[in-house]
Amino acid sequence: MPLLIDQRIVTEDPWQLLDQAALDEGSPIPENGPIAVPIIWYRQHREALQQRNSPLGVIVNGDDDLAALYADHSQLDLIAIEFPTFRDGRGFSIARQLVRSGFNRQIRALGHVTRDRLALMQSSGFNAFAINDERFQTDHLQAFSEISVNYQGTTADPRPIFRR
């Protein structure tokens, strides 16, 4: 799965994204190295996870209760937001709210990440994109520069075009 971070292809991803089902079945949590866990697991094991001496992240989607996420985001190094389908745009709002609340670390898009949505995702606050192998092409990097003007405000410049 190719990963783009800050508009560059990253070959080695140090993060281990742990699956809820595997955690529920008793899979051990790695003692070292950056991990990201589902937000439900994070809420249940928050204190133990925060005692690890490695970077910590959470995985969220639009169905999750995000109150704990907004309250604790200063403790996190990565927030991965899932896009389960093309039609589900709640991840855009989550990313934008995270940036507005001061989160300035990695916001990663997971799931249905397509070339035509990369620029919009970036303007919403995402800075990392995990793209499925079958969808990825090297010209994905051009998607970030194809739209030079945004009518609405972005996370980089929140002013709408009529206020600039």
Side-chain angles (χ1 to χ4, degrees), residues 21-163:
L23 291 169
D24 288 342
E25 292 175 6
S27 284
I29 294 178
E31 292 183 24
N32 298 315
I35 62 166
V37 298
I39 187 83
I40 295 169
W41 186 266
Y42 174 76
R43 286 196 313 247
Q44 294 170 343
H45 305 278
R46 187 174 123 206
E47 292 183 20
L49 289 168
Q50 289 178 344
Q51 291 178 358
R52 294 177 74 246
N53 289 326
S54 297
L56 178 62
V58 296
I59 305 166
V60 301
N61 66 47
D63 294 329
D64 291 324
D65 177 10
L66 301 175
L69 174 68
Y70 296 124
D72 282 358
H73 71 62
S74 63
Q75 309 291 322
L76 302 170
D77 296 295
L78 174 138
I79 297 174
I81 302 171
E82 294 177 316
F83 285 85
T85 66
F86 180 78
R87 295 175 300 175
D88 190 343
R90 295 176 290 178
F92 294 99
S93 301
I94 295 169
R96 181 165 275 219
Q97 289 174 342
L98 284 170
V99 172
R100 284 183 179 165
S101 67
F103 186 77
N104 59 4
R105 297 185 185 111
Q106 189 178 128
I107 301 175
R108 184 181 296 193
L110 302 175
H112 203 92
V113 180
T114 57
R115 184 187 189 284
D116 59 335
R117 295 167 43 149
L118 289 176
L120 182 57
M121 287 177 165
Q122 183 182 34
S123 70
S124 297
F126 287 95
N127 53 15
F129 310 89
I131 303 171
N132 289 336
D133 290 330
E134 62 270 6
R135 291 190 188 130
F136 183 76
Q137 296 177 357
T138 54
D139 75 335
H140 276 56
L141 296 173
Q142 297 171 358
F144 296 107
S145 60
E146 290 175 344
I147 299 172
S148 60
V149 176
N150 291 305
Y151 292 106
Q152 296 178 335
T154 65
T155 55
D157 186 355
R159 298 173 300 164
I161 195 164
F162 63 89
R163 297 227 185 246

